[in-house]
């Protein structure tokens, strides 16, 4: 029997040393390829196809035991080299056992890859990605990804299916919680930060894991926000909105791409030659692995473009989907397809090379067990530093939406009532896609307040209303309480005896995420009714929202004096919120998705086209608008208040006309006119006034998050060069066109403060 370890003896000792030395970067293509090819040369067709087969397997597969039916087939495949990677198997002990099984029993002993959805933490839960993105703090987001990677890697994992970098413009879609919102530039910057956090600069290090750019592509544009729905987008939207974050991910050397479930312009993404070949491989020269989404190869049949799984397998592999996640299409049909001459074996070889290369990059051929370390798992998973980091980023992710008469931060209040189904909830803040979060382990808002409030303050609680009356887990449909008002009276009583009411309302954890699209994005169940009842009795209300998507909050905005968007903030949610309400933390986050006045405005996003009827003149009828609702969103992209007040000065441009190879320095003074130190996200937008294809009204091109102490001013500078002025035409080519541009600098996307300049 030839095991891979003996194959490696054929290489020079120095070469092997350089690859296994953790101080040496291993992923240069040239270094690795000879080793990859030497392994490939030993493999028969079935073993090659095995590398492209991925199953979700549990720990029951680590021993022979009594496996029946499908499990027994999978076990046989596992020990005969017909499985190349496994998802959802966790823990240092389990992964070591399964790795041992495969190394010992299979003919070549090629190590498995262990993958898992580590979306916003492994055990320590950080804010859901949409919340984190509101921090606009790239450094912190890189740190949380790094911490999540360290926990996952210590538990034997090699590969996360994150970050999700789908641009999302429709809050009805449940998966908006998994990404960084509506702007392609910000999404791309955050993608790079998260990828660098997960992968570090050495994939073979035992604290880093491979990342995945998903879902390629267009999944965030599901028609009417319904999950898995068709995506119909024009080429302009594809190239300017959807693809830029993926291009950035490819440039950041993300280890893998994942297909999307949807069809895009009538071709399933998993069988999409244009996306996977023309763009990903040819244009971007991407050299990593492409993994399907869960059975998305099988779903090519459901999409109606293949009559059976065999044809789906053929379409998917020819398009460039390399690993079949849970679809069994490849393991069942690829060998036959090769024998029949329907596909060349070289197509399979190319795919296998990418899988093997990833295994080399991770260092698995040098030590297949390096990630499965029980001692490290104990030390790293859920450690104190990670919880502290979760608190730090939670504080930066809270968006202050409204603060009438400076009700916040709270001052000298004697009797506070905390009302609402989420006030004592230790589960909702953990959010959906929570990996190995410990059930009910988040600090609740009530606990946070108890800890933070002065002893002289009386804190009382009433649940008010139940939010859900059914299962609250990933796999089952949540049932929302629509009838039981039995808690209303107690809550009203409490509100009438209090100086201030903190209402904790929103969505339970499993109301956003995969399969959780909503047609009504208002506060679910009876919560709004309760809020209105309490408001009649005591309008001195701070509304704290915990949710995984933008909500429709028109009534709330009109009637409630202070509104705090606290999302699903993770492990230390309650501490972060309480410290914010009490002024120990000054909010600095800004929305990364627009909040609509009304669900009928969706999809709504700031960087839309001008249109032929852009007029805003009063009394106009024939222009782009709804007659019954304002044209703007309730809260725009980039919006968020602070306890400080920032005053923006005039924009200064170093010159107002440039040639292609020149640049302009745009500067602006921002003064903190308050007596509270704060942070501001200074945003720069560009509008191309005339272009060959209809331009966007404005696009975010740069931002800086700056500290500005009380009473002080800072000057912020941006460089405007040709990279900020070009756009993709519908043919996918980058176009830089001479003409007039506007540059806006301000606090959110509704900024009007601008200067004009010319590209000569
Ligand atoms: C999701 C992916 C995820 C995969 C594996 C699918 O349902 O769409 O994002 O990575 O499951 O869990």
């Amino acid at each position: 029997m030839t095991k891979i370890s003996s194959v490696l003896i054929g290489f020079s000792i120095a070469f092997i040393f350089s690859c296994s030395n953790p101080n040496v970067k291993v992923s240069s293509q040239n270094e690795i390829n000879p080793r990859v090819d030497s392994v490939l040369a030993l493999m028969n067709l079935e073993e090659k196809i095995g590398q492209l087969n991925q199953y979700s397997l549990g720990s029951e597969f680590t021993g022979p035991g009594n496996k029946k039916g499908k499990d027994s087939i999978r076990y046989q495949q596992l020990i005969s080299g017909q499985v190349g990677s496994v998802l959802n198997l966790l823990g240092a002990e389990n992964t070591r056992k399964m790795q041992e099984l495969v190394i010992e029993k299979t003919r070549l002993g090629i190590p498995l890859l262990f993958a898992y959805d580590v979306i916003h933490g492994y055990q320590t839960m950080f804010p859901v990605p949409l919340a984190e993105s509101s921090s606009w703090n790239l450094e912190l987001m890189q740190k949380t990804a790094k911490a999540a990677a360290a926990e996952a890697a210590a538990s034997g994992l090699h590969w996360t299916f994150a970050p999700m970098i789908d641009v999302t413009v429709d809050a009805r879609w449940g998966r908006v919680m998994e990404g960084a919102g509506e702007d392609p530039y910000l999404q791309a910057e955050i993608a790079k930060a998260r990828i660098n956090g997960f992968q570090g600069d050495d994939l073979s290090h035992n604290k880093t894991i491979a990342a995945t750019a998903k879902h390629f592509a267009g999944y965030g544009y599901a028609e009417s926000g319904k999950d898995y729905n068709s995506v119909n987008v024009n080429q302009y939207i594809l190239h300017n909105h959807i693809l830029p974050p993926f291009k950035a991910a490819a440039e950041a050397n993300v280890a893998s791409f994942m297909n999307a479930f949807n069809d895009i312009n009538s071709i399933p993404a998993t069988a999409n030659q244009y996306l996977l070949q023309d763009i990903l491989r040819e244009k971007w020269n991407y050299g990593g692995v492409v993994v399907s989404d869960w059975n998305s190869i099988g779903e090519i049949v459901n999409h109606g473009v293949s009559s059976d799984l065999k044809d789906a397998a053929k379409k998917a592999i020819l398009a460039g989907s390399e690993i079949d996640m849970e679809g069994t299409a490849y393991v069942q049909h690829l060998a036959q397809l090769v024998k029949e001459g329907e596909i060349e074996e070289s197509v399979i070889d190319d795919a296998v090379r990418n899988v093997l290369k990833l295994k080399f990059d991770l260092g698995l051929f040098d030590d297949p067990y390096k990630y499965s370390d029980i001692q490290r798992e104990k030390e790293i998973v859920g450690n104190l530093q990670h919880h502290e980091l979760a608190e730090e980023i939670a504080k930066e992710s809270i968006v202050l939406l409204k603060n009438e008469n400076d009700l916040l931060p709270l001052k000298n209040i004697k009797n506070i009532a905390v009302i609402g189904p989420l006030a004592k909830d230790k589960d909702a803040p953990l959010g959906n896609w929570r990996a190995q979060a410990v059930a009910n382990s988040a600090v609740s808002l009530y606990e946070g307040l108890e800890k933070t409030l002065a002893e002289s303050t009386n804190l009382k609680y009433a649940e008010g209303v139940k939010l859900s009356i059914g299962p609250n887990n990933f796999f089952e449909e949540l049932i929302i309480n629509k009838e039981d008002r039995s808690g209303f009276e107690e809550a009203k009583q409490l509100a009438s005896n209090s100086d201030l009411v903190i209402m904790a309302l929103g969505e339970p954890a499993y109301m956003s995420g995969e399969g959780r699209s909503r047609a009504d994005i208002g506060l679910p169940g009876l919560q709004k009714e309760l809020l209105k009842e309490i408001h009649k009795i005591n309008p001195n209300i701070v509304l704290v929202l915990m949710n995984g998507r933008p909500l429709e909050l028109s009534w709330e905005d009109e009637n409630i004096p202070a509104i705090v968007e606290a999302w699903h903030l993770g492990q230390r949610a309650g501490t972060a919120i309480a410290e914010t309400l009490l002024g120990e933390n000054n909010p600095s986050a800004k929305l990364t998705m627009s909040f609509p006045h009304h669900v009928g405005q969706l999809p709504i996003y700031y960087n839309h086209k001008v249109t032929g009827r852009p007029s805003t003149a009063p009394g106009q009828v024939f222009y782009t608008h709804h007659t019954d609702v304002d044209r703007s969103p309730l809260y725009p992209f980039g919006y968020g208040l602070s306890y400080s007040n920032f005053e923006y000065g005039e924009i200064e441009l170093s010159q107002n006309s440039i040639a292609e190879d020149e640049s302009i320095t745009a500067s602006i003074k921002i003064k903190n006119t308050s007596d509270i130190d704060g942070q501001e996200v200074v945003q720069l937008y560009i509008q191309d006034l005339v272009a060959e294809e209809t331009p966007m009204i404005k696009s975010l091109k740069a931002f800086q998050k700056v500290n500005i102490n009380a009473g002080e001013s800072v000057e912020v500078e941006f460089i405007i060069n040709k990279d900020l002025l070009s756009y993709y035409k519908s043919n996918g080519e980058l176009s830089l066109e001479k003409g007039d541009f506007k540059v806006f600098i301000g606090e959110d996307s509704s900024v009007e403060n601008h200067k004009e300049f010319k590209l000569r």
Side-chain angles (χ1 to χ4, degrees):
M1 193 184 283
T2 318
K3 297 272 174 182
I4 294 302
S5 47
S6 57
V7 174
L8 296 179
I9 293 168
F11 286 83
S12 87
I13 298 294
F15 177 72
I16 291 173
F17 176 73
S18 78
C19 287
S20 55
N21 179 350
N23 297 319
V24 177
K25 253 178 111 171
V26 275
S27 29
S28 134
Q29 294 261 6
N30 296 341
E31 259 179 276
I32 292 297
N33 284 346
R35 301 179 89 193
V36 166
D37 283 336
S38 74
V39 176
L40 191 67
L42 298 169
M43 298 171 80
N44 60 36
L45 182 61
E46 275 67 29
E47 286 161 340
K48 290 178 188 172
I49 293 167
Q51 289 303 305
L52 310 182
N53 184 31
Q54 179 176 99
Y55 285 148
S56 172
L57 301 179
S59 53
E60 67 278 10
F61 278 85
T62 52
N66 192 16
K67 296 176 191 64
K68 298 202 181 90
K70 182 176 114 182
D71 283 359
S72 133
I73 297 170
R74 288 184 168 207
Y75 181 74
Q76 284 311 317
Q77 289 174 333
L78 187 68
I79 59 172
S80 60
Q82 287 184 61
V83 180
S85 51
V86 165
L87 81 146
N88 295 335
L89 185 87
L90 306 164
E93 197 183 332
N94 289 330
T95 49
R96 175 175 284 270
K97 273 196 198 153
M98 193 176 282
Q99 195 73 292
E100 267 167 12
L101 188 72
V102 163
I103 300 280
E104 282 162 19
K105 295 238 186 242
T106 60
R107 189 176 75 94
L108 293 173
I110 298 176
L112 287 170
L113 280 172
F114 294 115
Y116 193 44
D117 290 279
V118 181
I119 305 295
H120 54 108
Y122 176 72
Q123 189 189 90
T124 305
M125 279 302 107
F126 300 106
V128 297
L130 184 65
E132 265 199 13
S133 71
S134 314
S135 74
W136 298 55
N137 188 329
L138 300 175
E139 207 182 310
L140 265 187
M141 284 183 261
Q142 179 160 339
K143 279 191 189 162
T144 62
K146 186 174 173 191
E151 291 195 8
S155 304
L157 293 164
H158 310 131
W159 185 14
T160 175
F161 295 138
M164 184 190 98
I165 57 176
D166 297 307
V167 165
T168 56
V169 291
D170 193 327
R172 291 173 296 183
W173 191 47
R175 299 194 79 167
V176 302
M177 51 93 28
E178 263 183 86
E182 75 192 41
D183 181 69
Y185 168 75
L186 183 61
Q187 185 83 246
E189 291 301 297
I190 294 176
K192 287 188 275 183
R194 289 192 172 138
I195 290 163
N196 290 336
F198 285 129
Q199 299 193 161
D201 51 15
D202 179 1
L203 216 46
S204 75
H205 196 289
N206 63 12
K207 282 192 170 175
T208 60
I209 55 176
T212 307
K214 74 184 188 186
H215 306 84
F216 195 60
Y219 192 29
Y221 280 71
E223 210 169 80
S224 74
K226 272 190 291 200
D227 209 354
Y228 320 117
N229 208 4
S230 295
V231 171
N232 298 298
V233 286
N234 65 37
Q235 292 296 100
Y236 184 98
I237 296 290
L238 179 67
H239 290 291
N240 290 288
H241 291 232
I242 295 174
L243 294 181
F246 287 99
K247 181 166 187 280
E251 284 164 3
N253 285 323
V254 69
S256 64
F257 265 59
M258 183 186 288
N259 298 133
F261 283 126
N262 52 280
D263 66 326
I264 174 161
N265 301 333
S266 308
I267 308 290
T270 305
N272 202 305
Q273 302 239 359
Y274 176 64
L275 286 177
L276 295 168
Q277 293 299 330
D278 302 359
I279 293 180
L280 184 63
R281 295 296 184 198
E282 278 163 39
K283 218 168 168 184
W284 299 347
N285 202 17
Y286 180 66
V289 186
V290 176
V291 60
S292 80
D293 202 345
W294 184 283
N295 188 34
S296 68
I297 299 179
E299 289 181 12
I300 295 173
V301 178
N302 301 351
H303 277 294
V305 301
S306 282
S307 54
D308 54 28
L309 194 60
K310 187 174 171 191
D311 186 64
K314 180 179 157 190
K315 286 206 163 81
I317 193 83
L318 288 176
S321 297
E322 296 172 327
I323 295 182
D324 177 4
M325 182 199 291
E326 270 292 329
T328 67
Y330 287 178
V331 74
Q332 287 192 62
H333 299 294
L334 282 188
Q336 191 60 25
L337 285 163
V338 172
K339 276 174 206 137
E340 289 166 2
E342 292 287 320
I343 50 175
E344 305 271 338
E345 191 164 341
S346 63
V347 173
I348 291 175
D349 287 351
D350 286 346
V352 176
R353 270 194 196 93
N354 286 340
V355 178
L356 294 177
K357 179 176 171 296
L358 179 56
K359 293 184 176 183
F360 272 110
D361 281 353
L362 285 158
L364 294 176
F365 282 103
D366 300 320
D367 177 2
Y369 308 108
K370 66 190 292 185
Y371 296 83
S372 306
D373 182 329
I374 292 175
Q375 192 48 39
R376 254 204 1 263
E377 186 178 36
K378 277 196 196 124
E379 284 161 18
I380 293 180
V381 173
N383 71 23
L384 182 64
Q385 291 98 301
H386 292 173
H387 280 229
E388 284 168 357
L389 180 61
E391 183 176 320
E392 192 184 349
I393 190 145
K395 285 181 188 163
E396 284 214 32
S397 305
I398 295 170
V399 189
L400 180 61
L401 296 176
K402 188 177 171 195
N403 193 16
E404 206 170 82
N405 301 326
D406 291 338
L407 178 57
L408 292 173
L410 301 177
K411 304 151 243 325
N412 308 322
I413 300 192
K414 197 101 203 72
N415 298 301
I416 298 184
V418 188
I419 296 174
L422 296 176
K424 281 197 172 176
D425 193 327
K426 293 170 70 61
D427 178 83
L430 300 172
N432 200 340
W433 282 115
R434 58 175 63 178
Q436 288 300 289
V438 176
N440 294 310
S441 65
V443 177
S444 72
L445 171 60
Y446 187 82
E447 288 168 334
L449 285 167
E450 257 186 331
K451 211 177 75 188
T452 318
L453 279 171
E455 272 185 18
S456 55
T457 312
N458 295 319
L459 182 66
K460 295 238 164 81
Y461 159 79
E463 185 184 31
V465 69
K466 289 235 173 300
L467 191 36
S468 62
I469 49 170
N472 188 23
N473 65 54
F474 184 74
F475 293 103
E476 291 170 278
E477 194 87 63
L478 192 82
I479 303 171
I480 290 291
N481 169 29
K482 292 189 182 141
E483 276 162 21
D484 179 5
R485 296 172 173 80
S486 56
F488 274 36
E489 267 322 303
E490 185 202 1
K492 280 156 68 175
Q493 198 69 46
L494 181 60
S496 68
N497 295 328
S498 305
D499 305 317
L500 175 107
V501 183
I502 298 175
M503 298 280 305
L505 308 178
E507 297 181 314
Y510 294 104
M511 205 165 196
S512 56
E514 187 172 352
R516 268 69 184 200
S517 296
R518 295 177 63 195
D520 171 358
I521 58 165
L523 283 170
L526 299 170
Q527 294 181 99
K528 191 154 164 184
E529 196 179 312
L530 174 69
L531 179 63
K532 286 184 173 174
E533 291 289 305
I534 300 288
H535 181 257
K536 282 186 210 152
I537 295 165
N538 186 346
N540 203 26
I541 295 176
V542 175
L543 172 58
V544 174
L545 296 163
M546 300 181 198
N547 42 286
R549 57 151 61 75
L551 298 174
E552 185 269 286
L553 298 168
S554 290
W555 183 89
E556 291 79 351
D557 182 69
E558 244 170 65
N559 295 284
I560 304 298
I563 306 179
V564 174
E565 179 49 81
W567 309 110
H568 292 146
L569 279 186
Q571 217 62 66
R572 294 260 181 107
T575 317
I577 305 168
E579 291 191 9
T580 306
L581 299 184
L582 291 161
E584 287 172 33
N585 174 52
N586 186 357
S588 63
K590 305 265 192 174
L591 297 178
T592 58
M593 272 188 89
S594 306
F595 278 42
H597 288 280
H598 189 280
V599 69
Q601 292 181 294
L602 298 179
I604 189 165
Y605 49 98
Y606 82 93
N607 48 357
H608 55 82
K609 301 289 185 104
V610 184
T611 86
R613 297 278 177 102
S615 168
T616 53
Q620 281 267 337
V621 175
F622 303 106
Y623 70 103
T624 318
H625 72 306
H626 295 111
T627 54
D628 48 0
V629 67
D630 201 271
R631 285 210 308 177
S632 56
L634 175 63
Y635 305 123
F637 172 84
Y639 170 83
L641 304 172
S642 159
Y643 296 149
S644 313
N645 295 314
F646 301 113
E647 243 177 54
Y648 280 72
E650 283 295 302
I651 302 169
E652 306 282 344
L653 298 184
S654 59
Q655 49 192 320
N656 45 27
S657 160
I658 48 167
E660 257 187 41
D661 53 354
E662 293 173 350
S663 63
I664 295 177
T665 304
S667 52
I668 193 159
K669 232 192 207 146
I670 302 144
K671 182 163 190 202
N672 180 348
T673 56
S674 70
D675 54 8
I676 305 170
D677 297 347
Q679 291 189 82
E680 170 70 334
V681 180
V682 184
Q683 302 160 42
L684 179 141
Y685 297 85
I686 300 262
Q687 183 186 9
D688 188 351
L689 294 181
V690 180
E692 284 176 28
E693 296 192 14
T694 55
M696 290 175 255
I697 198 133
K698 58 170 81 107
S699 315
L700 180 76
K701 293 292 177 179
F703 67 90
Q704 289 180 38
K705 189 164 188 175
V706 289
N707 290 313
I708 314 180
N709 290 340
E712 290 183 5
S713 297
V714 297
E715 185 160 294
V716 174
E717 274 188 10
F718 295 98
I719 304 292
I720 302 172
N721 59 25
K722 67 172 190 299
D723 296 343
L724 275 60
L725 307 180
S726 50
Y727 71 100
Y728 288 98
K729 291 176 74 170
S730 295
N731 63 9
E733 296 307 320
L734 206 57
S735 185
L736 181 69
E737 295 164 16
K738 295 186 167 64
D740 295 327
F741 293 82
K742 278 185 184 170
V743 51
F744 300 80
I745 304 181
E747 56 196 4
D748 64 53
S749 61
S750 69
V751 52
E752 290 182 359
N753 188 14
H754 72 273
K755 280 272 158 67
E756 278 192 42
F757 64 92
K758 193 181 274 305
L759 177 68
R760 302 189 297 274

